[in-house]
Amino acid sequence: MKFSSKIEKCGYSPIRKFYSYQVECEKQGKKIHHLNIGQPDIQTPRNFFTAVKDFDEKVVAYAPSPGIPELIGAIRRYYERIGVELSDSDIIITTGGSEALSMSFQCILDEGDELLAPEPLYSNYLTFTTMTGGKVVPIPTDPANGYRYAKRELLERYVTEKTRGLLITNPGNPTGVVLTKEEQQVIADFARDHGLFLIVDEVYREFVYNGQKLSSFGSFEGIEDNLIIVDSVSKRFSACGARVGALISRNKELIAHALKICQARLSVATLDQVGAAALYDTEESFFEEVRAEYKKRRDTVCEELGKIPGVSFDVPEGAFYLMASLPVDDTDRFQRWLFTDFETDGETVMFAPGDGFYRSPGLGKNEIRIAYVTNSDELRRSIRVLAEGIKRYNSL
Amino acid sequence: MKFSSKIEKCGYSPIRKFYSYQVECEKQGKKIHHLNIGQPDIQTPRNFFTAVKDFDEKVVAYAPSPGIPELIGAIRRYYERIGVELSDSDIIITTGGSEALSMSFQCILDEGDELLAPEPLYSNYLTFTTMTGGKVVPIPTDPANGYRYAKRELLERYVTEKTRGLLITNPGNPTGVVLTKEEQQVIADFARDHGLFLIVDEVYREFVYNGQKLSSFGSFEGIEDNLIIVDSVSKRFSACGARVGALISRNKELIAHALKICQARLSVATLDQVGAAALYDTEESFFEEVRAEYKKRRDTVCEELGKIPGVSFDVPEGAFYLMASLPVDDTDRFQRWLFTDFETDGETVMFAPGDGFYRSPGLGKNEIRIAYVTNSDELRRSIRVLAEGIKRYNSL
């Protein structure tokens, strides 16, 4: 049987591809420390569960294709609070930020079209773009320079006739880079001047640790037609499994096109939308506590990583990921070995190998992405297991 | 700004495109009788809500990409009961049957590839195939002949080098055709002989009204590599808003490819999977009652439609849809008029215009799809409002 060339080109997620190894390990009773997946252990605010439990319809019916009005209104008001004026019709509810991404790419990319994106990047961008026939053109960045990419001359170098947009994550996944307001203006000007879509994945908006006040690209003027904001309740409210996100744009034509896809896939899960709407009533103190907790976790990870000979990394400013270079030949092979041939006190560790976060072949082979989403004690132990793994792997 | 040629080609769903008209009508206090959407009013079995309310995790976490084991196991056992032996790894949980469809198409269709499908067809198949760059090649059917399409010589006529698969809905949406076992064998042989994927949308499996015992294509031998079953809890358990479906195949390569997409989109909503797993404990009597109720509804609709001069239709054998030809020039225009210029006792009616269910241009212009998913009294009134609408529209 013949499969599509597009799916043949796609790889497995570096974050999830070891799932079968994980299941096997757990069967053997080996404890796995998870540094691989951005699944926070922060409790989902109770209002989510309360709203879901209070749902008293007799039928779990389809929701409207663009989303339930309660949730759309809650998101509009949230944006108003952070200085972004939106209409309800600028907001489409999606099945996680993931669907907002794939829907955006489907609306703008044809076979051979190009989307610029700083590298390393969130690996799933590659699958979603590849499935449209389009491709990501990576903008190289340098950890020695803090992975910063918002430089006009750098971006200009990669623009071709085929370029349709620029895709960024801010705060960055997997790098933790947070753009300054000046850098955001560089990005906005670049997109506007070239008539490019500017797709900004801002799902980590609340997670900045150096006291910055992060502005949404939604508050920048002159890019109304260019801007597509990808948003989600997953990280903001630690509700990843709700699969509720949003595609936000003031470009009416884009929204009209996206609605065709929305109608075809019918709707987003009704109960989760009800729960998500309630999440937007969460008090501001929740974010302050969560931010303080993540800052502590980041510091713990950096402290412990700093003790491992040969490991290098840039201290992330936001989100909850960190890219690190390890003194091993191939982090993918190293991960397999950690599953099959390693344990220390019955424990092993799981990370996301770095090459999956690069589009450029050969890059990232000795890097890993760490998600610091468990508590500090657990993280400390995870990194120590990693350290022991590196030592033993290199003495084979 | 430039959009993709693929999205430009897509249309709006004939089932959902009038949503803004509907909202406007409701604002004006006009009551709308819904014949347009397959949203049953049957109560969702209580075990769904119980399971959701009993969920006591502190975090709404991501589920595994292929689905939660409890739900996969429940679906495997359900198939065992209907005579289809599956492994857990043959089953991938999807966000509704919709995602199983789009995922299947993404795995097998390249630019210009063809998927055969009897026409009229479920309109969203068109959007999902168009978004891959592939296209549906319609197999024409005739209402005078009960829309039957499982004839070898008919199917053979449309096979080209570009044909990758055959897509059918059984029981049929929008026609209500139910294949006989002999017809199913014709389809299976055809797919096997040509090495085509056979994508069978069997979400209406339980809804057959003439006492037939419907076999899943999963029980046919010799098509293990060809067959992709699209399934869903939406109609089976009247849980459309849960957005829980499944892609089922014994083709290991297909499953491996589909998992790349699953990993990229992360997971299906966790709580809904928990609820859906519980739905599979629903007693057989539920289906018997539901079947009896739908049979009654079908009979009511056919009785009332039969009274309208100039209306013709074929009595559906399964699912809960009916295609009817109306004595009007253009059902799309007629629907708009019903919203904006018509009412009888403050009421109007909404159906799905027929042309959206045809890929062939010009067909279906005087047809409509009716979903008989409300109770018999409501249906009777809906059809009478429709009858009054036709009368007045034609006397303009």
Side-chain angles (χ1 to χ4, degrees), chain A residues 41-46 48-50 52-53, chain B residues 48-61 68 70 270-272 274-275:
Chain A
D41 67 344
I42 305 287
Q43 291 194 14
T44 312
R46 293 293 91 191
F48 179 89
F49 298 102
T50 307
V52 164
K53 286 176 193 198
Chain B
F48 179 89
F49 299 102
T50 308
V52 164
K53 286 177 192 196
D54 287 351
F55 182 84
D56 68 348
E57 302 284 332
K58 300 280 179 240
V59 185
V60 186
I68 63 170
E70 298 79 354
T270 304
L271 270 178
D272 292 284
V274 169

Side-chain angles (χ1 to χ4, degrees), chain A residues 55 57 59-72 92-95 244 259 262-275, chain B residues 15-16 19 22-23 36-40 98 234-235 239-243 272:
Chain A
F55 182 84
E57 302 285 331
V59 185
V60 186
Y62 288 123
S65 292
I68 62 170
E70 298 80 352
L71 178 56
I72 291 174
I92 289 177
I93 306 304
T94 56
T95 300
V244 173
L259 280 175
C262 290
Q263 291 183 354
R265 61 69 158 132
L266 306 174
S267 67
V268 174
T270 303
L271 270 179
D272 292 284
Q273 290 193 70
V274 169
Chain B
I15 305 157
R16 293 185 166 242
Y19 179 61
Q22 174 190 335
V23 171
N36 59 310
I37 199 161
Q39 172 56 62
S98 302
S234 295
K235 314 296 174 171
C240 297
R243 311 309 300 128
D272 292 284

Side-chain angles (χ1 to χ4, degrees), chain B residues 343-390:
Chain B
E343 63 160 284
T344 175
D345 295 331
E347 300 173 12
T348 191
V349 65
M350 196 169 169
F351 48 73
D355 61 351
F357 297 88
Y358 286 86
R359 167 90 170 73
S360 307
L363 294 187
K365 281 255 175 255
N366 69 339
E367 293 177 58
I368 64 170
R369 189 195 75 166
I370 287 173
Y372 48 95
V373 293
T374 52
N375 68 61
S376 287
D377 289 345
E378 164 61 19
L379 282 169
R380 197 177 296 282
R381 177 70 194 151
S382 306
I383 304 291
R384 287 181 183 175
V385 171
L386 176 68
E388 180 64 20
I390 293 172

Side-chain angles (χ1 to χ4, degrees), chain A residues 301-362:
Chain A
V301 165
C302 291
E303 181 194 334
E304 289 296 323
L305 277 179
K307 295 178 189 169
I308 311 175
V311 168
S312 66
F313 59 94
D314 191 64
V315 178
E317 304 170 276
F320 36 62
Y321 306 103
L322 177 150
M323 285 296 279
S325 296
L326 306 189
V328 301
D329 54 348
D330 180 330
T331 53
D332 202 281
R333 190 183 304 150
F334 177 45
Q335 177 67 78
R336 282 170 216 274
W337 178 85
L338 286 168
F339 282 123
T340 55
D341 292 278
F342 171 78
E343 63 161 284
T344 176
D345 295 332
E347 300 173 12
T348 190
V349 65
M350 198 168 167
F351 48 72
D355 60 351
F357 297 88
Y358 286 87
R359 168 90 169 74
S360 308

Side-chain angles (χ1 to χ4, degrees), chain B residues 299-347:
Chain B
D299 295 343
T300 303
V301 166
C302 291
E303 182 194 333
E304 289 296 323
L305 278 179
K307 295 178 188 166
I308 311 175
V311 168
S312 67
F313 60 93
D314 190 65
V315 178
E317 305 171 273
F320 34 64
Y321 306 103
L322 177 150
M323 285 297 280
S325 294
L326 306 189
V328 301
D329 55 349
D330 180 330
T331 52
D332 202 281
R333 190 184 304 149
F334 177 46
Q335 177 67 76
R336 281 170 217 275
W337 178 85
L338 286 168
F339 281 123
T340 55
D341 292 278
F342 171 80
E343 63 160 284
T344 175
D345 295 331
E347 300 173 12

Side-chain angles (χ1 to χ4, degrees), chain B residues 72-237:
Chain B
I72 292 174
I75 292 179
R76 183 178 45 70
R77 290 188 298 275
Y78 158 83
Y79 271 90
E80 201 174 289
R81 292 196 293 275
I82 63 165
V84 181
E85 293 290 331
L86 296 171
S87 310
D88 283 359
S89 59
D90 300 335
I91 303 166
I92 288 177
I93 306 304
T94 56
T95 300
S98 302
E99 195 191 30
L101 288 165
S102 61
M103 215 178 258
S104 302
F105 302 162
Q106 289 183 321
C107 285
I108 69 173
L109 295 179
D110 265 324
E111 201 80 20
D113 282 348
E114 297 173 354
L115 202 55
L116 306 180
E119 179 179 70
L121 43 74
Y122 176 51
S123 49
N124 295 329
Y125 295 159
L126 298 176
T127 302
F128 294 138
T129 47
T130 303
M131 291 317 297
T132 67
K135 64 176 179 186
V136 164
V137 172
I139 309 282
T141 65
D142 187 351
N145 189 18
Y147 296 105
R148 308 206 84 81
Y149 56 87
K151 306 181 186 91
R152 184 71 184 241
E153 66 285 5
L154 174 67
L155 299 172
E156 291 288 348
R157 220 175 294 160
Y158 296 88
V159 178
T160 73
E161 274 181 4
K162 294 277 193 186
T163 311
R164 292 282 164 266
L166 171 64
L167 166 65
I168 63 170
T169 332
N170 187 44
N173 173 9
T175 63
V177 169
V178 177
L179 295 176
T180 64
K181 194 140 192 179
E182 292 69 34
E183 287 178 319
Q184 286 186 282
Q185 192 62 56
V186 168
I187 297 283
D189 292 345
F190 170 75
R192 192 199 53 230
D193 293 351
H194 286 282
L196 299 179
F197 280 104
L198 173 58
I199 304 165
V200 294
D201 182 342
E202 296 188 344
V203 301
Y204 300 101
R205 190 182 290 132
E206 276 75 14
F207 304 97
V208 290
Y209 310 119
N210 296 349
Q212 306 105 308
K213 178 90 187 103
L214 183 61
S215 306
S216 167
F217 271 97
S219 64
F220 284 71
E221 289 184 4
I223 52 168
E224 289 75 9
D225 269 358
N226 309 80
L227 188 65
I228 303 173
I229 301 175
V230 171
D231 205 351
S232 165
V233 303
S234 295
K235 314 296 174 171
R236 181 168 302 141
F237 300 109

